Amino acid sequence: MSIMDHNGGSVIAMVGKECVAIASDLRLGNQALGISSNFQRIFPVTDRIYYGLPGLATDVTTLRDRIRFRVNMYTIKEEREIAPETFAHLVSSTLYERRFGPYFIEPVMAGLTKTPTGGYKPFIAATDLIGCLNFAKDFVVAGTASTKLYGVAEGLWEPDLEPEDLFETISQTLMNAVDRDAFSGWGCVVHVITKDKVITRTLKGRMD
Amino acid sequence: MSQQPTQQAFNPYTENGGTILAIAGADFSVIAGDTRQSEGYSIQTRYAPKVFRLTDKATLAVNGFAADGNMFVKKVRQRLEWYRHAHAKDMPIRAIARLIQTMLYARRFFPYYVYNILGGIEEDGTGAVYSFDPVGSYEREACRAAGAAQSLVQPFLDNQIYFKNQTPAPGTSFPRHLPLTTVLPLVIDSFTSATERHIEVGDGLEIYVVLAKNSTSLQSLLNMRGVQELTATNDGERVFVIRKDLKRD
């Protein structure tokens, strides 16, 4: 079995109308043995950027700390908040630095970009474990349930969903995908990022 | 040159990709499969049927190793013909299901490398889907996906057919069987989604629809474009096929 599947877990992000959503399951396992049903792998960067780190749990902690350090250094030097696109490239270069001894993580990012006119544009991205960026226009997935997530998301997602509809779409996609994956599940957490607030909900899921 | 022994090996199996899917309704059954046949990254043909009409009340979809699949269908059809000669009627679907189990298990130690899904009409007139593993373990269900894109399609079906992770509005309940007008778009959506994300799925789609005697779904089916009837007997059950294009990339 791959190191990527050792602890299990999956993350998905979706674009909506002037909003984005990012969601993850809450399982931490050791191969087939469940260890925790409250393992958070989605973290905030700014008020309008969240990212998730599915993969090897020890690297989740390390990578979160390294990314926090680099974002803090950026904020101090630039004296402004980091933009989602810039953050995606920061994550990418942090991973590519370890090209030949990678962190076993496939990050998923979601945020709102400020436009010159003062509006907000949804932004999502994902990378592989060595930082190859994927800027998708609809949704991105990663983790042990990724194939299932692709199938359900491809069937349920549609353009220009309002925040509440986007919440329902991403939640249904995640829950039904992880229910067919032995390494993901045990509850979910969903964040919907809108221009003036972030809605965070913890979902009760199947516990088998 | 140093003389060393070299190991030679013959692998009798290949994986030929593709996906199949079946959904049972109250008085009908839908059995579908894509028509792409591939080996590794190469497409061998864009039209190799995986779904076969067995009788007017039973249709079989086979997925996995195509050579084994075709041979298996040939053998099942032969057994059904012998049954017809002996009993002067078509074998009921639950008997076909048990026959398939014994035929698969007979090859327990050199299996047919195929996943089978049998769809059709039960003797009591209800829609039925039976799914099998390669060595004959089987189960009757309301819906099942198998093959290369099983992992993409099955969770979508859990959600849309079984209403998993959904709660009915207070005082209401979810239907146990969906109407044909809901099922057909779900089948098409499943295959277009699988085609979008899986390289081994695409080219064409064949949807077989088996209707029970006096099925209420007949009119809505006949209203669809490009429906072809394949019924051979006057027993009352009717078989139709709908052919559609899928993306070829």
Short mmCIF file of all heavy atoms in Angstrom, two decimals, chain B residues 173-222:
data_model
loop_
_atom_site.label_atom_id
_atom_site.label_comp_id
_atom_site.label_asym_id
_atom_site.label_seq_id
_atom_site.Cartn_x
_atom_site.Cartn_y
_atom_site.Cartn_z
N SER B 173 -41.76 10.16 1.97
CA SER B 173 -40.69 9.16 1.92
C SER B 173 -40.17 9.04 0.50
O SER B 173 -40.86 9.43 -0.44
CB SER B 173 -41.21 7.81 2.40
OG SER B 173 -42.20 7.35 1.52
N PHE B 174 -38.94 8.54 0.36
CA PHE B 174 -38.36 8.39 -0.98
C PHE B 174 -38.97 7.20 -1.68
O PHE B 174 -39.29 6.19 -1.05
CB PHE B 174 -36.85 8.20 -0.87
CG PHE B 174 -36.12 9.43 -0.45
CD1 PHE B 174 -35.27 9.41 0.64
CD2 PHE B 174 -36.29 10.63 -1.13
CE1 PHE B 174 -34.59 10.55 1.03
CE2 PHE B 174 -35.61 11.77 -0.75
CZ PHE B 174 -34.76 11.74 0.34
N PRO B 175 -39.14 7.27 -3.03
CA PRO B 175 -39.68 6.12 -3.76
C PRO B 175 -38.68 4.96 -3.78
O PRO B 175 -37.47 5.19 -3.80
CB PRO B 175 -39.88 6.66 -5.18
CG PRO B 175 -38.96 7.82 -5.29
CD PRO B 175 -38.85 8.40 -3.92
N ARG B 176 -39.19 3.72 -3.73
CA ARG B 176 -38.31 2.55 -3.78
C ARG B 176 -37.83 2.29 -5.20
O ARG B 176 -36.74 1.80 -5.42
CB ARG B 176 -39.04 1.32 -3.20
CG ARG B 176 -38.25 0.62 -2.12
CD ARG B 176 -39.11 -0.25 -1.23
NE ARG B 176 -40.05 -1.11 -1.93
CZ ARG B 176 -39.70 -2.24 -2.57
NH1 ARG B 176 -38.45 -2.64 -2.59
NH2 ARG B 176 -40.62 -2.97 -3.15
N HIS B 177 -38.69 2.63 -6.17
CA HIS B 177 -38.30 2.50 -7.58
C HIS B 177 -38.59 3.80 -8.31
O HIS B 177 -39.64 4.40 -8.10
CB HIS B 177 -39.07 1.35 -8.24
CG HIS B 177 -38.64 0.01 -7.76
ND1 HIS B 177 -37.41 -0.52 -8.06
CD2 HIS B 177 -39.26 -0.90 -6.98
CE1 HIS B 177 -37.30 -1.70 -7.49
NE2 HIS B 177 -38.41 -1.96 -6.82
N LEU B 178 -37.67 4.21 -9.18
CA LEU B 178 -37.83 5.45 -9.92
C LEU B 178 -38.48 5.18 -11.27
O LEU B 178 -38.36 4.08 -11.81
CB LEU B 178 -36.46 6.09 -10.14
CG LEU B 178 -35.74 6.56 -8.87
CD1 LEU B 178 -34.29 6.92 -9.19
CD2 LEU B 178 -36.45 7.77 -8.27
N PRO B 179 -39.18 6.18 -11.85
CA PRO B 179 -39.76 6.01 -13.19
C PRO B 179 -38.68 6.01 -14.27
O PRO B 179 -37.61 6.57 -14.06
CB PRO B 179 -40.69 7.20 -13.33
CG PRO B 179 -40.15 8.23 -12.41
CD PRO B 179 -39.53 7.49 -11.27
N LEU B 180 -39.00 5.40 -15.41
CA LEU B 180 -38.04 5.32 -16.53
C LEU B 180 -37.57 6.70 -16.99
O LEU B 180 -36.42 6.87 -17.36
CB LEU B 180 -38.68 4.56 -17.70
CG LEU B 180 -37.77 4.24 -18.90
CD1 LEU B 180 -36.64 3.31 -18.50
CD2 LEU B 180 -38.57 3.65 -20.04
N THR B 181 -38.46 7.69 -16.91
CA THR B 181 -38.12 9.05 -17.34
C THR B 181 -37.06 9.68 -16.43
O THR B 181 -36.42 10.66 -16.80
CB THR B 181 -39.36 9.96 -17.36
OG1 THR B 181 -40.10 9.73 -16.15
CG2 THR B 181 -40.24 9.66 -18.55
N THR B 182 -36.89 9.17 -15.22
CA THR B 182 -35.83 9.65 -14.33
C THR B 182 -34.57 8.79 -14.52
O THR B 182 -33.45 9.30 -14.47
CB THR B 182 -36.28 9.55 -12.85
OG1 THR B 182 -37.57 10.13 -12.74
CG2 THR B 182 -35.32 10.25 -11.93
N VAL B 183 -34.78 7.48 -14.70
CA VAL B 183 -33.65 6.55 -14.77
C VAL B 183 -32.78 6.78 -16.01
O VAL B 183 -31.56 6.82 -15.91
CB VAL B 183 -34.16 5.08 -14.72
CG1 VAL B 183 -33.04 4.11 -15.06
CG2 VAL B 183 -34.72 4.77 -13.34
N LEU B 184 -33.41 6.95 -17.18
CA LEU B 184 -32.63 7.09 -18.41
C LEU B 184 -31.67 8.29 -18.38
O LEU B 184 -30.50 8.12 -18.69
CB LEU B 184 -33.55 7.15 -19.64
CG LEU B 184 -34.13 5.79 -20.07
CD1 LEU B 184 -35.11 5.95 -21.22
CD2 LEU B 184 -33.03 4.81 -20.45
N PRO B 185 -32.13 9.51 -17.97
CA PRO B 185 -31.17 10.61 -17.86
C PRO B 185 -30.05 10.33 -16.86
O PRO B 185 -28.91 10.76 -17.07
CB PRO B 185 -32.03 11.78 -17.39
CG PRO B 185 -33.40 11.45 -17.83
CD PRO B 185 -33.51 9.97 -17.75
N LEU B 186 -30.34 9.61 -15.78
CA LEU B 186 -29.30 9.27 -14.80
C LEU B 186 -28.24 8.36 -15.42
O LEU B 186 -27.04 8.52 -15.17
CB LEU B 186 -29.91 8.60 -13.57
CG LEU B 186 -30.61 9.51 -12.57
CD1 LEU B 186 -31.28 8.68 -11.47
CD2 LEU B 186 -29.65 10.51 -11.95
N VAL B 187 -28.70 7.41 -16.23
CA VAL B 187 -27.76 6.49 -16.91
C VAL B 187 -26.87 7.28 -17.87
O VAL B 187 -25.64 7.12 -17.87
CB VAL B 187 -28.53 5.40 -17.68
CG1 VAL B 187 -27.58 4.60 -18.56
CG2 VAL B 187 -29.25 4.48 -16.72
N ILE B 188 -27.49 8.17 -18.65
CA ILE B 188 -26.72 8.97 -19.62
C ILE B 188 -25.73 9.88 -18.89
O ILE B 188 -24.56 9.96 -19.26
CB ILE B 188 -27.67 9.77 -20.53
CG1 ILE B 188 -28.50 8.81 -21.39
CG2 ILE B 188 -26.89 10.72 -21.43
CD1 ILE B 188 -29.72 9.44 -22.03
N ASP B 189 -26.18 10.53 -17.82
CA ASP B 189 -25.29 11.40 -17.03
C ASP B 189 -24.13 10.61 -16.44
O ASP B 189 -22.99 11.09 -16.41
CB ASP B 189 -26.07 12.08 -15.89
CG ASP B 189 -26.93 13.24 -16.39
OD1 ASP B 189 -26.89 13.52 -17.61
OD2 ASP B 189 -27.64 13.85 -15.57
N SER B 190 -24.40 9.40 -15.96
CA SER B 190 -23.35 8.56 -15.39
C SER B 190 -22.26 8.29 -16.41
O SER B 190 -21.07 8.37 -16.11
CB SER B 190 -23.92 7.22 -14.91
OG SER B 190 -24.84 7.43 -13.87
N PHE B 191 -22.68 7.97 -17.64
CA PHE B 191 -21.69 7.63 -18.68
C PHE B 191 -20.97 8.86 -19.22
O PHE B 191 -19.77 8.79 -19.51
CB PHE B 191 -22.34 6.83 -19.80
CG PHE B 191 -22.41 5.37 -19.49
CD1 PHE B 191 -23.54 4.82 -18.91
CD2 PHE B 191 -21.34 4.53 -19.74
CE1 PHE B 191 -23.61 3.46 -18.58
CE2 PHE B 191 -21.39 3.18 -19.42
CZ PHE B 191 -22.52 2.65 -18.83
N THR B 192 -21.66 10.00 -19.34
CA THR B 192 -20.95 11.21 -19.80
C THR B 192 -19.94 11.64 -18.74
O THR B 192 -18.84 12.06 -19.07
CB THR B 192 -21.92 12.36 -20.13
OG1 THR B 192 -22.92 12.43 -19.12
CG2 THR B 192 -22.58 12.18 -21.47
N SER B 193 -20.29 11.50 -17.45
CA SER B 193 -19.35 11.83 -16.37
C SER B 193 -18.15 10.90 -16.40
O SER B 193 -17.01 11.36 -16.31
CB SER B 193 -20.04 11.71 -15.01
OG SER B 193 -21.04 12.67 -14.88
N ALA B 194 -18.41 9.60 -16.55
CA ALA B 194 -17.31 8.63 -16.58
C ALA B 194 -16.42 8.86 -17.79
O ALA B 194 -15.20 8.76 -17.70
CB ALA B 194 -17.87 7.21 -16.59
N THR B 195 -17.04 9.21 -18.94
CA THR B 195 -16.28 9.49 -20.16
C THR B 195 -15.36 10.69 -19.97
O THR B 195 -14.23 10.70 -20.43
CB THR B 195 -17.25 9.77 -21.32
OG1 THR B 195 -18.11 8.65 -21.48
CG2 THR B 195 -16.51 10.01 -22.61
N GLU B 196 -15.87 11.71 -19.26
CA GLU B 196 -15.11 12.93 -19.01
C GLU B 196 -13.82 12.65 -18.23
O GLU B 196 -12.78 13.23 -18.51
CB GLU B 196 -16.01 13.90 -18.23
CG GLU B 196 -15.62 15.34 -18.27
CD GLU B 196 -15.76 15.95 -19.66
OE1 GLU B 196 -16.77 15.73 -20.36
OE2 GLU B 196 -14.82 16.66 -20.05
N ARG B 197 -13.90 11.76 -17.25
CA ARG B 197 -12.78 11.57 -16.32
C ARG B 197 -12.04 10.26 -16.46
O ARG B 197 -11.05 10.05 -15.77
CB ARG B 197 -13.29 11.71 -14.88
CG ARG B 197 -13.80 13.09 -14.52
CD ARG B 197 -12.67 14.07 -14.35
NE ARG B 197 -13.19 15.41 -14.07
CZ ARG B 197 -12.42 16.47 -13.81
NH1 ARG B 197 -11.12 16.36 -13.78
NH2 ARG B 197 -12.98 17.64 -13.59
N HIS B 198 -12.52 9.31 -17.27
CA HIS B 198 -11.83 8.03 -17.38
C HIS B 198 -11.47 7.74 -18.83
O HIS B 198 -12.36 7.74 -19.70
CB HIS B 198 -12.68 6.89 -16.80
CG HIS B 198 -11.86 5.70 -16.44
ND1 HIS B 198 -11.65 5.29 -15.16
CD2 HIS B 198 -11.14 4.86 -17.21
CE1 HIS B 198 -10.85 4.24 -15.15
NE2 HIS B 198 -10.53 3.96 -16.39
N ILE B 199 -10.19 7.45 -19.07
CA ILE B 199 -9.73 7.27 -20.45
C ILE B 199 -10.27 6.01 -21.10
O ILE B 199 -10.34 5.92 -22.31
CB ILE B 199 -8.19 7.27 -20.55
CG1 ILE B 199 -7.57 6.22 -19.62
CG2 ILE B 199 -7.64 8.64 -20.26
CD1 ILE B 199 -6.10 5.96 -19.90
N GLU B 200 -10.65 5.01 -20.30
CA GLU B 200 -11.10 3.74 -20.89
C GLU B 200 -12.60 3.74 -21.20
O GLU B 200 -13.14 2.72 -21.65
CB GLU B 200 -10.76 2.59 -19.93
CG GLU B 200 -9.27 2.33 -19.83
CD GLU B 200 -8.92 1.29 -18.79
OE1 GLU B 200 -9.84 0.76 -18.14
OE2 GLU B 200 -7.72 1.02 -18.63
N VAL B 201 -13.29 4.85 -20.91
CA VAL B 201 -14.74 4.92 -21.16
C VAL B 201 -15.01 5.96 -22.24
O VAL B 201 -14.46 7.06 -22.19
CB VAL B 201 -15.50 5.29 -19.87
CG1 VAL B 201 -17.00 5.30 -20.12
CG2 VAL B 201 -15.15 4.32 -18.76
N GLY B 202 -15.87 5.62 -23.20
CA GLY B 202 -16.24 6.58 -24.23
C GLY B 202 -16.71 5.92 -25.51
O GLY B 202 -17.13 4.76 -25.50
N ASP B 203 -16.66 6.69 -26.61
CA ASP B 203 -17.04 6.27 -27.97
C ASP B 203 -18.54 6.10 -28.18
O ASP B 203 -19.13 6.82 -28.96
CB ASP B 203 -16.31 4.99 -28.38
CG ASP B 203 -14.82 5.22 -28.59
OD1 ASP B 203 -14.46 6.34 -28.97
OD2 ASP B 203 -14.04 4.30 -28.34
N GLY B 204 -19.16 5.12 -27.54
CA GLY B 204 -20.59 4.90 -27.76
C GLY B 204 -21.25 4.37 -26.51
O GLY B 204 -20.60 3.86 -25.61
N LEU B 205 -22.57 4.50 -26.47
CA LEU B 205 -23.34 4.01 -25.33
C LEU B 205 -24.52 3.21 -25.83
O LEU B 205 -25.24 3.66 -26.73
CB LEU B 205 -23.81 5.21 -24.49
CG LEU B 205 -24.78 4.95 -23.34
CD1 LEU B 205 -24.17 4.01 -22.31
CD2 LEU B 205 -25.17 6.26 -22.67
N GLU B 206 -24.69 2.00 -25.29
CA GLU B 206 -25.86 1.18 -25.62
C GLU B 206 -26.69 0.97 -24.37
O GLU B 206 -26.20 0.43 -23.38
CB GLU B 206 -25.43 -0.17 -26.20
CG GLU B 206 -24.99 -0.07 -27.65
CD GLU B 206 -24.80 -1.44 -28.30
OE1 GLU B 206 -24.38 -2.39 -27.63
OE2 GLU B 206 -25.05 -1.52 -29.51
N ILE B 207 -27.94 1.44 -24.42
CA ILE B 207 -28.84 1.30 -23.28
C ILE B 207 -29.95 0.33 -23.65
O ILE B 207 -30.76 0.62 -24.53
CB ILE B 207 -29.46 2.66 -22.87
CG1 ILE B 207 -28.38 3.72 -22.69
CG2 ILE B 207 -30.28 2.51 -21.60
CD1 ILE B 207 -28.93 5.13 -22.56
N TYR B 208 -29.98 -0.83 -23.01
CA TYR B 208 -31.07 -1.80 -23.22
C TYR B 208 -32.16 -1.53 -22.19
O TYR B 208 -31.86 -1.32 -21.02
CB TYR B 208 -30.55 -3.23 -23.07
CG TYR B 208 -29.84 -3.73 -24.31
CD1 TYR B 208 -28.59 -3.23 -24.65
CD2 TYR B 208 -30.42 -4.69 -25.14
CE1 TYR B 208 -27.93 -3.67 -25.79
CE2 TYR B 208 -29.76 -5.15 -26.28
CZ TYR B 208 -28.52 -4.64 -26.60
OH TYR B 208 -27.88 -5.06 -27.73
N VAL B 209 -33.41 -1.52 -22.65
CA VAL B 209 -34.53 -1.35 -21.73
C VAL B 209 -35.45 -2.57 -21.89
O VAL B 209 -35.88 -2.88 -23.00
CB VAL B 209 -35.33 -0.06 -22.04
CG1 VAL B 209 -36.45 0.12 -21.04
CG2 VAL B 209 -34.42 1.14 -22.03
N VAL B 210 -35.68 -3.28 -20.79
CA VAL B 210 -36.59 -4.43 -20.81
C VAL B 210 -37.86 -4.02 -20.09
O VAL B 210 -37.81 -3.61 -18.91
CB VAL B 210 -35.96 -5.67 -20.13
CG1 VAL B 210 -36.84 -6.89 -20.37
CG2 VAL B 210 -34.56 -5.92 -20.64
N LEU B 211 -39.01 -4.11 -20.78
CA LEU B 211 -40.28 -3.72 -20.17
C LEU B 211 -41.09 -4.96 -19.81
O LEU B 211 -41.13 -5.93 -20.57
CB LEU B 211 -41.10 -2.87 -21.13
CG LEU B 211 -40.51 -1.52 -21.57
CD1 LEU B 211 -41.50 -0.79 -22.47
CD2 LEU B 211 -40.15 -0.65 -20.38
N ALA B 212 -41.75 -4.92 -18.65
CA ALA B 212 -42.63 -6.01 -18.24
C ALA B 212 -43.92 -5.95 -19.07
O ALA B 212 -44.17 -4.98 -19.77
CB ALA B 212 -42.95 -5.89 -16.76
N LYS B 213 -44.76 -7.01 -18.96
CA LYS B 213 -46.05 -7.01 -19.65
C LYS B 213 -46.85 -5.79 -19.23
O LYS B 213 -46.93 -5.49 -18.03
CB LYS B 213 -46.85 -8.28 -19.25
CG LYS B 213 -46.39 -9.52 -19.96
CD LYS B 213 -47.11 -10.77 -19.43
CE LYS B 213 -46.33 -12.01 -19.79
NZ LYS B 213 -46.53 -13.15 -18.95
N ASN B 214 -47.44 -5.10 -20.21
CA ASN B 214 -48.28 -3.93 -19.94
C ASN B 214 -47.57 -2.87 -19.10
O ASN B 214 -48.19 -2.22 -18.25
CB ASN B 214 -49.60 -4.32 -19.25
CG ASN B 214 -50.28 -5.47 -19.93
OD1 ASN B 214 -50.42 -6.55 -19.36
ND2 ASN B 214 -50.68 -5.27 -21.18
N SER B 215 -46.27 -2.69 -19.32
CA SER B 215 -45.52 -1.69 -18.55
C SER B 215 -46.04 -0.29 -18.84
O SER B 215 -46.31 0.06 -20.00
CB SER B 215 -44.04 -1.76 -18.90
OG SER B 215 -43.36 -0.68 -18.30
N THR B 216 -46.15 0.51 -17.79
CA THR B 216 -46.63 1.88 -17.93
C THR B 216 -45.57 2.78 -18.57
O THR B 216 -45.85 3.90 -18.94
CB THR B 216 -47.01 2.45 -16.55
OG1 THR B 216 -45.93 2.19 -15.65
CG2 THR B 216 -48.27 1.82 -16.02
N SER B 217 -44.33 2.26 -18.66
CA SER B 217 -43.22 3.08 -19.18
C SER B 217 -43.15 3.07 -20.71
O SER B 217 -42.36 3.81 -21.29
CB SER B 217 -41.90 2.57 -18.63
OG SER B 217 -41.96 2.47 -17.23
N LEU B 218 -43.99 2.24 -21.36
CA LEU B 218 -43.90 2.06 -22.81
C LEU B 218 -43.99 3.37 -23.58
O LEU B 218 -43.14 3.65 -24.43
CB LEU B 218 -44.98 1.08 -23.29
CG LEU B 218 -44.97 0.80 -24.80
CD1 LEU B 218 -43.68 0.11 -25.21
CD2 LEU B 218 -46.16 -0.05 -25.20
N GLN B 219 -45.00 4.19 -23.25
CA GLN B 219 -45.23 5.40 -24.03
C GLN B 219 -44.06 6.37 -23.96
O GLN B 219 -43.59 6.88 -24.97
CB GLN B 219 -46.54 6.08 -23.59
CG GLN B 219 -47.15 6.97 -24.66
CD GLN B 219 -47.21 6.29 -26.03
OE1 GLN B 219 -47.72 5.19 -26.19
NE2 GLN B 219 -46.62 6.94 -27.05
N SER B 220 -43.54 6.59 -22.73
CA SER B 220 -42.42 7.53 -22.57
C SER B 220 -41.18 7.03 -23.30
O SER B 220 -40.37 7.82 -23.78
CB SER B 220 -42.12 7.76 -21.09
OG SER B 220 -41.73 6.55 -20.47
N LEU B 221 -41.03 5.68 -23.40
CA LEU B 221 -39.87 5.12 -24.11
C LEU B 221 -40.01 5.33 -25.61
O LEU B 221 -39.07 5.73 -26.29
CB LEU B 221 -39.73 3.63 -23.79
CG LEU B 221 -38.55 2.91 -24.41
CD1 LEU B 221 -37.24 3.47 -23.88
CD2 LEU B 221 -38.62 1.43 -24.17
N LEU B 222 -41.21 5.09 -26.13
CA LEU B 222 -41.44 5.24 -27.57
C LEU B 222 -41.31 6.70 -28.02
O LEU B 222 -41.02 6.97 -29.19
CB LEU B 222 -42.82 4.69 -27.96
CG LEU B 222 -42.97 3.17 -27.81
CD1 LEU B 222 -44.39 2.74 -28.11
CD2 LEU B 222 -41.99 2.42 -28.71
#
